[in-house]
Amino acid sequence: MQDYDEATAFLGEWGHYQRTIFLLLSIGVIPNGYVGLSMVFMADTPKHHCRLSNSSNITIEETSFTNMSLLLPLEGMDGGPVYSKCTRFKTQLQDGVNDTARETEHCVDGWVYSKDRYISTIVSEWDLVCENSWKGPFTMSVLFLGMTSGAFISGQVSDRYGRKIVLF
């Protein structure tokens, strides 16, 4: 069996031309990493709650001034009870009235998002929360599936018809 260096000796040395081609081909690969990492920042889900029907201007930052227990139901989470992000009470009660069987509804008026970390994300722009939260990860899965299938298909097509025809 031949040594690797002996088997590849006919290719010649790694010269200026090979370095140039390698760098030029790498330019097209580098942005792919940014595409995958960009969703970490663009698709972050900010703090949110239902937009309230009686006052559409209550922001996340102003909730400390409002008795939110009259407007939003509490849900049990790992760290303790938190206000619901996907439901609200149908009717608003006044302070001091106790009604334990209040009806809830989904957020029919939309959501209010916190702007303390990001001014805007694709989640806040397109309301990708609650029943639509699956759309963000699904989009990335379709993107990477398309990139994978494109890599396999373009290799076969360019071998059959030529690389210049496929690339240009």
Side-chain angles (χ1 to χ4, degrees):
M1 180 161 186
Q2 290 182 338
D3 186 346
Y4 177 77
D5 291 332
E6 291 174 13
T8 59
F10 71 94
L11 295 175
E13 296 294 319
W14 181 261
H16 179 70
Y17 177 76
Q18 286 82 6
R19 278 190 220 105
T20 303
I21 295 297
F22 176 76
L23 291 174
L24 289 175
L25 291 174
S26 296
I27 290 172
V29 175
I30 292 171
N32 286 335
Y34 291 114
V35 169
L37 289 175
S38 66
M39 288 302 282
V40 172
F41 302 104
M42 292 188 327
D44 189 26
T45 304
K47 293 179 186 175
H48 62 279
H49 64 77
C50 289
R51 184 176 304 278
L52 306 172
S53 58
N54 60 349
S55 173
S56 62
N57 296 328
I58 295 178
T59 63
I60 294 286
E61 290 77 19
E62 294 172 345
T63 56
S64 60
F65 304 115
T66 307
N67 189 356
M68 295 300 285
S69 62
L70 297 175
L71 307 170
L72 298 173
L74 288 171
E75 293 178 345
M77 296 300 253
D78 295 334
V82 294
Y83 292 112
S84 175
K85 296 179 179 182
C86 299
T87 58
R88 68 178 186 186
F89 289 124
K90 280 189 175 181
T91 58
Q92 180 180 351
L93 287 181
Q94 301 301 323
D95 284 326
V97 177
N98 188 7
D99 185 8
T100 57
R102 295 175 62 192
E103 288 187 60
T104 59
E105 64 183 353
H106 291 287
C107 300
V108 293
D109 296 324
W111 290 267
V112 176
Y113 298 95
S114 173
K115 296 186 187 305
D116 61 349
R117 182 179 291 172
Y118 302 111
I119 294 172
S120 155
T121 66
I122 60 171
V123 172
S124 62
E125 289 294 318
W126 296 326
D127 291 332
L128 300 179
V129 292
C130 301
E131 63 269 358
N132 290 329
S133 63
W134 63 272
K135 292 179 180 179
F138 178 72
T139 303
M140 282 306 291
S141 297
V142 169
L143 171 72
F144 286 122
L145 183 66
M147 290 173 74
T148 303
S149 61
F152 288 121
I153 293 170
S154 66
Q156 296 296 323
V157 171
S158 51
D159 284 346
R160 174 168 289 203
Y161 300 108
R163 300 196 191 293
K164 286 185 180 180
I165 295 172
V166 172
L167 291 176
F168 304 107

